[in-house]
Amino acid sequence: AWIIFSDQLLVSLSVDPATLARYSILKGAAFVALTALLLYGLLYRNSLRHAAETAKLRRADEQWQELAAQLDGELARTERTQQMQQETENRLRILLRAVEQSPASILITNTRGEIDYVNSRFTQVTGYSFSEVRGRNPRILKSEGTPPEVHTNLWATISQGREWHGDLCNRRKNGELYWESAAISPILDPAGNITHYLAVKEDITERKDAEDRLRASEERFREVVETISEVFWVYDPIAEETRYLSPSFERVWGVKVENVATSSQLWANAIHPEDRDRVLAAFAQLQQESFEQTYRITRADGAVRWIRDQAFCIKSPAGQVTRVIGVAEDITEMKEMERRFLRTQRLEAIGTLASGVAHDMNNILAPILFAPALLKDRLPNPADRELLQLIEQSAQRGANIVRQLLTYS
């Protein structure tokens, strides 16, 4: 429009053709420049719009990528969560099975002491099913066999968040008493607050009975070995020391034992010097053969006593001697009785010999005693009679000696 208007204006002004040509050229150049400027503006606006659209698309793509990454992360987290949940469920299932099949009784209570869970071993030991004890207090098992202060200490300990260990004498459903070793501890939440109590208990009734029987056996054994007059001793050849020595040792040996482990030296030192080498050599061979020796000891007060010592070995399954058990007896009185008996035997032998000699002498002296009485009338000489009287007196003294021998025999 402006081009047509400009041509008409130039014609109306009667502009010469040369000027009109110049103006036409300028007008064409201006038109081209203006057109180029318009085109550049359009192109620049389109490029800006394209850049904006591209940026918007890039941002959208980035957002989609971020969203896809987030979705992938969420899916991965969901898979991990599901996997962890599955693993947790598997562990819980294994743990529950382990608890149910545990050889120990397991009991869980809330903070009020009300039973929330018991395993099957609890039912086997006590006779109570879970339905019978659920919501009840464990004191239903309590018996007079456990002192009240034990329960007081138990609750005071676990209420303070600490673990309690001890033995309890409880009562089964059928009224029978039983012993159990218990470990009771609190269960805490993440904040450290007590939410439940867990008790793990083992039935130790048989072990307690065995301990009681062993204790009673040991007491009976101690009563015997501490009251008998013989010395009972136990020696450890591996450690080379005495493990036990009955109180009779101090009475027989006459020395106080300060340390039982080293008492073997007291024993060796007290052996009479004439017997020591023989006895110690026999004791050194004890692991190969039995030990039975009679020897003398010299007490601290200087008295000599006779001892008869007998021992035998206890071996391990591998054949190694682990203990030597022996009994030492004071046979001094027996030795004295033997000495007296031998003396009596010798006296009896002498008496028997004297009796025989007396009878033989009587047979010899009888004719001699009768001869003086028969010869007195036949020997009128005083000197002969005096000699005959001397013979008679000598024979009479011999007869008296014979009578004394007969009395002794």
Side-chain angles (χ1 to χ4, degrees):
W2 68 271
I3 292 174
I4 295 173
F5 177 75
S6 63
D7 289 339
Q8 292 176 357
L9 179 63
L10 291 174
V11 171
S12 62
L13 292 176
S14 300
V15 179
D16 59 283
T19 303
L20 182 63
R22 288 194 298 270
Y23 277 111
S24 297
I25 292 170
L26 291 174
K27 181 178 65 174
F31 176 76
V32 171
L34 180 62
T35 302
L37 182 63
L38 289 174
L39 289 173
Y40 175 78
L42 290 173
L43 290 173
Y44 179 73
R45 187 183 66 179
N46 289 335
S47 66
L48 291 177
R49 185 181 299 171
H50 178 72
E53 291 294 333
T54 302
K56 186 183 296 184
L57 289 174
R58 186 180 296 109
R59 286 196 300 273
D61 183 64
E62 290 176 353
Q63 291 176 351
W64 275 108
Q65 290 179 357
E66 291 177 359
L67 181 60
Q70 291 177 357
L71 290 175
D72 290 340
E74 289 296 329
L75 289 174
R77 281 194 294 272
T78 300
E79 290 178 357
R80 287 196 299 270
T81 301
Q82 291 177 346
Q83 183 179 1
M84 292 174 61
Q85 183 177 359
Q86 184 66 34
E87 292 176 354
T88 301
E89 290 177 355
N90 291 337
R91 286 197 296 269
L92 288 175
R93 184 165 53 253
I94 293 171
L95 179 60
L96 180 60
R97 183 173 300 174
V99 169
E100 281 296 324
Q101 297 178 358
S102 170
S105 299
I106 297 178
L107 180 147
I108 299 176
T109 72
N110 57 27
T111 55
R112 296 185 300 275
E114 299 168 343
I115 297 175
D116 284 345
Y117 173 81
V118 296
N119 67 346
S120 57
R121 179 59 179 169
F122 174 90
T123 301
Q124 296 173 8
V125 173
T126 66
Y128 289 100
S129 65
F130 176 48
S131 60
E132 291 176 307
V133 299
R134 186 173 186 177
R136 301 179 67 181
N137 194 286
R139 71 170 61 96
I140 61 174
L141 305 174
K142 184 178 177 181
S143 76
E144 63 281 0
T146 303
E149 55 268 21
V150 173
H151 291 281
T152 302
N153 174 263
L154 186 161
W155 281 106
T157 300
I158 63 177
S159 298
Q160 295 173 4
R162 295 183 287 116
E163 187 172 353
W164 182 88
H165 292 269
D167 295 343
L168 300 172
C169 181
N170 288 334
R171 189 181 301 279
R172 307 185 203 271
K173 182 179 179 180
N174 61 6
E176 178 183 348
L177 295 177
Y178 71 100
W179 281 91
E180 58 185 2
S181 176
I184 304 176
S185 58
I187 299 175
L188 308 178
D189 62 11
N193 300 315
I194 299 175
T195 60
H196 294 82
Y197 295 109
L198 169 67
V200 179
K201 302 185 289 184
E202 178 187 3
D203 187 350
I204 59 171
T205 306
E206 293 184 0
R207 190 183 77 189
K208 277 285 187 178
D209 292 342
E211 289 176 353
D212 291 340
R213 290 193 299 269
L214 178 61
R215 190 179 301 108
S217 176
E218 289 178 348
E219 290 176 357
R220 290 193 299 269
F221 172 77
R222 188 172 296 277
E223 289 176 357
V224 171
V225 299
E226 292 186 357
T227 55
I228 61 176
S229 59
E230 292 81 2
V231 178
F232 184 84
W233 54 272
V234 179
Y235 181 76
D236 184 348
I238 300 175
E240 296 185 348
E241 61 182 30
T242 303
R243 293 298 186 184
Y244 177 79
L245 196 62
S246 66
S248 298
F249 180 85
E250 295 183 359
R251 178 183 57 79
V252 175
W253 262 253
V255 61
K256 186 173 181 59
V257 179
E258 300 293 342
N259 186 355
V260 172
T262 59
S263 60
S264 55
Q265 190 61 43
L266 293 175
W267 167 76
N269 292 338
I271 299 176
H272 195 281
E274 296 179 3
D275 300 333
R276 185 176 297 137
D277 292 342
R278 169 177 57 84
V279 175
L280 294 182
F283 188 79
Q285 298 297 320
L286 179 57
Q287 298 189 34
Q288 285 77 34
E289 55 189 33
S290 61
F291 177 81
E292 183 173 355
Q293 292 290 318
T294 300
Y295 54 89
R296 291 164 293 175
I297 63 169
T298 304
R299 290 163 47 98
D301 57 6
V304 176
R305 309 291 295 181
W306 279 93
I307 303 297
R308 180 167 60 198
D309 212 341
Q310 297 174 300
F312 62 92
C313 301
I314 296 179
K315 297 183 179 181
S316 67
Q320 183 182 19
V321 176
T322 58
R323 287 291 186 273
V324 178
I325 298 177
V327 176
E329 179 184 6
D330 183 352
I331 60 171
T332 305
E333 294 182 359
M334 183 185 301
K335 280 289 186 179
E336 180 63 23
M337 291 178 61
E338 288 180 358
R339 187 185 65 80
R340 292 178 181 176
F341 177 72
L342 292 175
R343 182 173 177 274
T344 301
Q345 283 187 323
R346 287 196 297 269
L347 291 175
E348 288 180 355
I350 292 172
T352 302
L353 178 61
S355 176
V357 171
H359 284 292
D360 291 339
M361 289 297 294
N362 274 333
N363 293 333
I364 295 171
L365 292 174
I368 298 174
L369 288 173
F370 286 116
L374 296 175
L375 295 173
K376 281 180 182 181
D377 296 336
R378 297 183 182 184
L379 296 174
N381 189 346
D384 294 336
R385 285 178 176 272
E386 185 177 348
L387 181 58
L388 189 60
Q389 185 178 2
L390 179 61
I391 294 173
E392 184 179 11
Q393 290 175 352
S394 298
Q396 191 63 46
R397 285 197 302 271
N400 290 334
I401 293 174
V402 170
R403 281 194 295 270
Q404 289 177 4
L405 287 174
L406 289 174
T407 301
Y408 174 77
S409 62

